[in-house]
Amino acid sequence: MSAERRHDLLVIIPAWNEEVALPGVIAEVLATLGGTADAVVVSDGSTDRTAALARDAGVTVLDLPINLGVGGAMRAGFVYAVRYGYSYAVQLDADGQHDPSEVPVMLECARATGADLVIGARFAGKGDYSVRGPRHWAMRVLSVILSRVSGTRLTDTTSGFKLYNRRALAVFSQDYPAEYLGDTIEALVVAKRSGLRVRQVAVRMRPRAGGEPSHNPLKAARFLLRAFLALGIALSRPNRAAPGAVPPSEDQEGRR
């Protein structure tokens, strides 16, 4: 693990057995953001060549001994970001869906609006990424509910493409949900209850370069059930104030 920080932005790539797609993702990150950002791959208990390939590509690797899920992997990345003093960190998934060229758009949104957490939204009028069937309606329902909870209009509450500033990193390095969907749904509730400003910006996303997405009705129903369970857990948690964060009552941002 390298402790050298060259830039203020850290790209965190959580990866579990992503040896197929990861090399291409790292190459694209370095080509697109190498002059403005550092990168760390969090190998989440991978049993394939994920960690070795990341090291071969010349990026920092956090090699977790067991699989903790996306939430656990991201929390390790947040701890790393805080320890080495990064001003911003962005989550970029290892399956190739997230386009590194959209990161500057998210960074500009954070700076222009004072947002602590910026969501790269798939369904906000940019690109042609789509989800159909029961899963689409499940995500619509979640967006309506979480827009009310967070106090800002959100169209893609399950997006993993997110950018965090120092205040958000301070919160999530200590309190980031590791349960299924906790890193998306519950994290938004934690952010708002911690006084963090949450915003979204439209981004393009691509089909995944590895893995198999699922769209059948049974899995969509299971997704919806788990999502509402995660939301119920999140709403039952106590508030925690973030260092320097704005109290929710003072955050009156308009719809984006």
Side-chain angles (χ1 to χ4, degrees):
M1 181 182 76
S2 171
E4 181 182 359
R5 179 173 71 85
R6 296 181 296 274
H7 303 96
D8 283 336
L9 172 64
L10 177 67
V11 179
I12 304 173
I13 307 174
W16 178 56
N17 292 342
E18 291 284 2
E19 64 178 13
V20 174
L22 183 62
V25 170
I26 294 175
E28 188 176 18
V29 167
L30 295 179
T32 306
L33 302 171
T36 58
D38 299 334
V40 59
V41 169
V42 185
S43 178
D44 187 22
S46 297
T47 56
D48 64 358
R49 300 178 62 234
T50 290
L53 290 172
R55 290 191 186 95
D56 289 345
V59 300
T60 299
V61 177
L62 305 182
D63 198 356
L64 305 184
I66 60 173
N67 178 253
L68 299 177
V70 176
M74 283 304 300
R75 184 166 177 178
F78 295 143
V79 171
Y80 179 91
V82 170
R83 179 174 299 169
Y84 294 112
Y86 286 93
S87 299
Y88 296 94
V90 61
Q91 176 180 346
L92 196 96
D93 286 354
D95 60 12
Q97 282 190 298
H98 300 164
D99 187 345
S101 68
E102 297 285 2
V103 172
V105 176
M106 299 166 71
L107 190 59
E108 175 59 28
C109 176
R111 290 170 172 165
T113 66
D116 301 301
L117 169 59
V118 176
I119 301 170
R122 294 166 287 188
F123 317 119
K126 188 175 182 180
D128 56 4
Y129 188 97
S130 64
V131 175
R132 297 180 295 275
R135 191 178 183 90
H136 166 76
W137 293 108
M139 295 172 77
R140 285 282 300 270
V141 171
L142 287 170
S143 293
V144 170
I145 295 173
L146 284 167
S147 292
R148 291 180 177 273
V149 170
S150 64
T152 190
R153 183 172 180 269
L154 302 174
T155 60
D156 190 5
T157 55
T158 60
S159 171
F161 199 6
K162 297 193 286 289
L163 182 132
Y164 312 81
N165 70 2
R166 286 184 186 271
R167 287 192 292 266
L169 291 170
V171 171
F172 290 135
S173 64
Q174 301 179 46
D175 183 18
Y176 197 68
E179 300 83 4
Y180 180 77
L181 291 175
D183 62 297
T184 52
I185 294 170
E186 188 174 355
L188 290 177
V189 178
V190 171
K192 188 59 179 180
R193 289 191 164 186
S194 298
L196 300 178
R197 290 188 179 97
V198 179
R199 304 292 180 261
Q200 76 169 26
V201 65
V203 299
R204 291 186 182 90
M205 288 204 196
R206 307 172 295 202
R208 64 181 67 205
E212 297 181 2
S214 58
H215 300 288
N216 70 63
L218 179 59
K219 290 187 177 180
R222 188 180 302 146
F223 166 82
L224 183 59
L225 179 62
R226 289 178 174 176
F228 276 102
L229 179 60
L231 181 59
I233 293 172
L235 293 174
S236 68
R237 291 163 63 99
N239 293 354
R240 294 192 181 187
V246 176
S249 60
E250 297 179 17
D251 184 11
Q252 302 295 329
E253 183 266 345
R255 306 302 180 185
R256 192 170 173 84

